[in-house]
Amino acid sequence: MSKEQKYEAAFAELQAIVHKMENDELDIDQLSEQLKRAQQLIKLCRDKLTKTDEEIKKILAEK
């Protein structure tokens, strides 16, 4: 992933993976791959939320 993925796109992709898992739309090979991708997306989303939270706290502390 050379270009940084936007939070909204990552979250939408994660939701799509969850939907496929919940509806048994993945075979065992796809399940393994999609689970790994879901873990990457969760980390990306968590990191972006943490960074944004820190930035907001910093801005609010300045006022």
Side-chain angles (χ1 to χ4, degrees), residues 26-62:
L26 303 171
D27 64 31
I28 196 71
D29 296 320
Q30 292 172 322
L31 182 61
S32 177
E33 291 173 19
Q34 292 296 293
L35 183 56
K36 289 175 187 174
R37 179 65 180 149
Q39 289 175 320
Q40 293 171 342
L41 292 166
I42 290 168
K43 181 181 181 328
L44 184 144
C45 289
R46 183 183 303 130
D47 291 348
K48 285 185 179 287
L49 288 171
T50 300
K51 181 180 175 185
T52 301
D53 184 53
E54 291 169 357
E55 290 173 358
I56 290 171
K57 286 179 181 177
K58 182 180 175 184
I59 290 169
L60 293 175
E62 292 174 357

Side-chain angles (χ1 to χ4, degrees), residues 2-27:
S2 59
K3 188 176 180 183
E4 188 172 337
Q5 188 170 15
K6 298 279 187 187
Y7 175 86
E8 292 81 9
F11 190 71
E13 185 180 347
L14 182 58
Q15 286 179 309
I17 292 170
V18 170
H19 177 76
K20 288 177 185 176
M21 288 178 175
E22 290 176 339
N23 292 301
D24 296 324
E25 296 176 18
L26 303 171
D27 64 31

